[in-house]
Amino acid sequence: MATRSTQILEAAARVIARRGIRGLRVEELAAEAGVSTALIYYYFKDRAGILRHTLEFINDRAERYTTDRDPDAPPLTPREELEETLLLELQDTVEVRENSAAWGELRASAVFDELLREDLARATLVWTQEVAALLGQVQPMAPASALAASGERLTALLEGLSMRWLGGGIQIAHARALLIGAIEAELAGLR
């Protein structure tokens, strides 16, 4: 059973994914989560707190679904781990769709919200560094600056592909094929 705060954050991710940041009303969030508005304010203080914690929640959830592996499965090579981690962001599941849509809404709203922009910039930097570290496991002799640039390009591409897929502009199989091609190109550039 999820804790009340987790229940609220799951509902916030759903509401943001469906209606956007501007459509996030505390009353609607309370109804979606099955809690009172007072409880939401108790846990998150204000709307900014809800957004900040929802961003953390979707980042944590993405980390879970991109890194959880069957303990009995054979270990992945560094290249396989890199590909799997990135490709798991392009899964046709409710959780991934919600996360990706909410991330896109948070990114769009950050244009007008400086606090949200700072939180999103930090989250993006961490994600980019994680991808750069995975690239470094595949190409350990590549310079750190080249790994960072490759990580940034791949995460930016993945965000764009995800938005196109979610918006119906491309099929998920095509998005995944484009991402695999980009990974190959980045690794070739790092050799």
Side-chain angles (χ1 to χ4, degrees):
M1 181 77 178
T3 66
R4 289 286 192 196
S5 61
T6 301
Q7 196 176 334
I8 294 166
L9 292 169
E10 287 170 345
R14 280 192 305 274
V15 171
I16 291 170
R18 274 197 320 260
R19 300 179 50 86
I21 299 277
R22 291 187 177 154
L24 179 66
R25 304 285 180 264
V26 176
E27 296 78 18
E28 182 182 354
L29 175 55
E32 181 78 22
V35 300
S36 69
T37 57
L39 190 61
I40 291 173
Y41 286 117
Y42 171 78
Y43 281 117
F44 304 107
K45 308 295 179 232
D46 55 19
R47 192 169 190 277
I50 296 167
L51 294 177
R52 187 173 304 108
H53 284 90
T54 302
L55 176 61
E56 290 171 14
F57 172 79
I58 63 173
N59 281 330
D60 291 346
R61 188 162 67 171
E63 185 172 342
R64 259 192 332 277
Y65 65 66
T66 59
T67 59
D68 281 352
R69 292 190 174 77
D70 179 356
D72 296 330
L76 300 175
T77 67
R79 167 79 182 253
E80 290 169 337
E81 184 176 358
L82 170 68
E83 286 184 1
E84 183 173 296
T85 298
L86 293 173
L87 289 170
L88 285 172
E89 289 284 356
L90 293 170
Q91 300 179 71
D92 196 4
T93 66
V94 171
E95 190 175 50
V96 173
R97 282 178 170 273
E98 250 177 38
N99 253 35
S100 297
W103 178 269
E105 290 294 335
L106 289 162
R107 177 150 322 275
S109 293
V111 171
F112 306 104
D113 183 334
E114 190 172 328
L115 289 176
L116 185 55
R117 189 176 324 137
E118 290 171 11
D119 291 340
L120 198 59
R122 276 191 296 279
T124 301
L125 178 61
V126 168
W127 186 32
T128 300
Q129 289 171 339
E130 289 169 355
V131 172
L134 290 170
L135 287 160
Q137 291 175 10
V138 181
Q139 295 293 339
M141 300 307 290
S145 60
L147 292 169
S150 288
E152 195 161 0
R153 283 189 294 270
L154 286 173
T155 55
L157 175 65
L158 181 50
E159 281 188 39
L161 290 172
S162 180
M163 290 300 103
R164 285 187 181 189
W165 161 57
L166 290 170
I170 60 175
Q171 297 295 313
I172 192 169
H174 185 58
R176 292 172 68 90
L178 290 171
L179 184 58
I180 289 170
I183 292 167
E184 180 57 43
E186 290 297 335
L187 290 173
L190 292 171
R191 287 187 194 108

